[in-house]
């Protein structure tokens, strides 16, 4: 029996994924809550199954989202990889140890950032492989997603509060001075996003803010860090879509992924400008209010 997924549902879910993956309000949480609120039982019933077409569909949307991010940051990624090439050439003269000596003032600054992004990807990558499927099946339920979305609001609001309180005591850092330990810490914060309702970009931004980054730098680092994580997670699970789980939903997934990519591009373009002058507080309030309302609705 073929899975049932309409093109309208695919488009709505694609737009939802692309926007909420970058907005710090949890794409996974919204992918659980919105179908339940709209009465899309074909999607709701499949979300918490061990093997389902909906999980394969979401994988396709993640790939589309990552492509949207890559298109927006294409010049940045090109610059980072040129830095890698330059550093590799210098390593021939200085030795391979120069590739990870971040304290070396002669290290190419673009390679430095690329190295930090690689370090930040490690913890969530390992956790994703080991826990992502289990946690998604266990907590992909409307009430659980509502509770975690409420917690997401608390994280964002408390994070902003702590940033203001600690701002007097924590020296402001630029991305060029972020340590490997700090990058690992920011990357590790994304593990919380394995719980449906907690935002990947939100937790990473809070970790960055508490580490001394300003909102714009924290946002850019978060979005750059999310790109390989989302892309690799999608490609890792892509065989599910190519297999029997994708029967009946492959074309809809392609359509949804296209809309997710466009939505992600528009979302990141808006948010980069937003965080030049504004904070996480509106997103924290949104998560808290909508989360509590959904807790009441699904309790």
């Amino acid at each position: 029996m073929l899975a049932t997924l309409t093109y309208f549902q695919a488009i709505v879910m694609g737009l939802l994924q692309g926007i909420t993956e970058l907005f710090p309000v949890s794409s996974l949480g919204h992918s659980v809550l919105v179908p339940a609120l709209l009465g899309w039982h074909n999607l709701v019933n499949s979300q918490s199954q061990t093997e389902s077409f909906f999980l394969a569909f979401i994988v396709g949307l993640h790939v589309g989202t990552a492509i949207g991010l890559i298109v927006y940051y294409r010049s940045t990624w090109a610059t980072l990889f040129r830095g890698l090439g330059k550093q590799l050439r210098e390593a021939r003269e200085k030795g391979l140890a120069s590739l990870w000596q971040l304290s070396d003032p002669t290290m190419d600054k673009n390679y430095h950032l690329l190295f930090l992004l690689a370090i930040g990807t490690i913890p969530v990558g390992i956790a994703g492989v080991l826990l992502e499927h289990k946690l998604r099946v266990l907590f992909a339920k409307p009430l659980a997603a509502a509770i975690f979305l409420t917690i997401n609001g608390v994280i964002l609001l408390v994070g902003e509060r702590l940033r203001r309180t600690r701002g007097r005591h924590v020296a402001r850092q630029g991305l060029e001075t972020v340590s490997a330990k700090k990058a690992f810490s920011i990357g590790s914060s994304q593990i919380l996003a394995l719980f449906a309702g907690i935002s990947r970009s939100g937790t990473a931004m809070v970790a960055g803010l508490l580490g001394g980054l300003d909102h714009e730098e924290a946002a850019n680092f978060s979005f750059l860090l999310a790109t390989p994580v989302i892309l690799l997670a999608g490609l890792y699970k892509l065989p599910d879509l190519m297999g029997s789980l994708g029967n009946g939903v492959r074309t809809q997934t392609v359509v949804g992924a296209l809309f997710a990519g466009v939505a992600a591009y528009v979302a990141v373009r808006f948010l980069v400008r937003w965080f030049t002058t504004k904070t996480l507080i509106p997103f924290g309030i949104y998560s808290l209010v909508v989360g509590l309302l959904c807790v009441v609705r699904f309790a």
Side-chain angles (χ1 to χ4, degrees):
M1 181 177 179
L2 291 178
T4 56
L5 175 68
T6 68
Y7 283 98
F8 177 71
Q9 288 175 330
I11 291 172
V12 171
M13 295 302 293
L15 291 172
L16 186 70
Q17 160 65 30
I19 293 171
T20 57
E21 183 67 54
L22 285 309
F23 277 64
V25 295
S26 177
S27 62
L28 183 54
H30 280 75
S31 72
V32 173
L33 291 171
V34 170
L37 291 170
L38 294 177
W40 290 350
H41 301 297
N42 58 321
L43 303 185
V44 175
N45 294 335
S46 68
Q47 287 173 351
S48 57
Q49 295 177 9
T50 303
E51 301 292 338
S52 77
F53 76 90
F54 183 76
L55 299 184
F57 168 67
I58 291 296
V59 164
L61 299 189
H62 275 76
V63 173
T65 301
I67 291 173
L69 278 169
I70 291 171
V71 171
Y72 181 83
Y73 282 109
R74 60 190 182 279
S75 60
T76 300
W77 283 110
T79 300
L80 295 180
F81 280 105
R82 282 197 294 270
L84 171 61
K86 180 179 178 181
Q87 195 66 34
L88 286 174
R89 288 191 294 272
E90 292 187 2
R92 295 177 183 176
E93 302 177 1
K94 299 181 179 180
L96 292 178
S98 64
L99 292 175
W100 52 81
Q101 292 177 340
L102 297 185
S103 59
D104 185 353
T106 65
M107 175 177 282
D108 183 86
K109 65 177 183 179
N110 294 310
Y111 170 75
H112 178 272
L113 178 55
L114 184 64
F115 187 80
L116 293 178
L117 292 171
I119 291 175
T121 302
I122 294 173
V124 70
I126 295 174
V129 171
L130 297 177
L131 301 173
E132 187 270 342
H133 186 76
K134 295 178 181 178
L135 292 177
R136 186 186 291 265
V137 171
L138 184 61
F139 292 109
K141 300 174 178 63
L143 181 56
I147 292 172
F148 283 121
L149 182 59
T150 304
I151 294 172
N152 183 69
V154 173
I155 291 172
L156 299 185
L157 294 176
V158 171
E160 284 287 356
R161 178 72 176 182
L162 290 176
R163 180 193 68 85
R164 293 180 181 181
T165 302
R166 298 177 58 189
R168 304 169 184 174
H169 310 289
V170 177
R172 184 189 172 283
Q173 297 183 30
L175 289 177
E176 68 280 359
T177 62
V178 172
S179 66
K181 181 179 179 181
K182 182 61 64 178
F184 188 86
S185 175
I186 296 173
S188 297
S189 70
Q190 295 183 104
I191 295 174
L192 291 174
L194 296 177
F195 296 95
I198 296 182
S199 168
R200 182 195 315 276
S201 61
T203 55
M205 276 198 67
V206 168
L209 291 173
L210 296 181
L213 298 178
D214 63 25
H215 286 86
E216 184 178 7
E217 290 170 330
N220 277 308
F221 191 75
S222 169
F223 298 149
L224 287 170
L225 189 60
T227 304
V229 173
I230 299 170
L231 180 61
L232 293 176
L235 294 177
Y236 176 72
K237 291 289 188 178
L238 203 57
D240 290 347
L241 185 62
M242 298 297 103
S244 60
L245 293 178
N247 293 341
V249 300
R250 291 193 187 93
T251 307
Q252 295 94 315
T253 300
V254 172
V255 172
L258 289 173
F259 277 87
V262 173
Y265 180 90
V266 173
V268 71
R269 183 174 181 178
F270 169 81
L271 289 171
V272 166
R273 295 178 180 179
W274 170 275
F275 286 120
T276 57
T277 57
K278 297 180 176 65
T279 71
L280 289 166
I281 291 176
F283 306 108
I285 294 173
Y286 168 87
S287 297
L288 195 61
V289 172
V290 173
L292 288 174
L293 288 176
C294 287
V295 167
V296 173
R297 168 64 178 80
F298 295 111

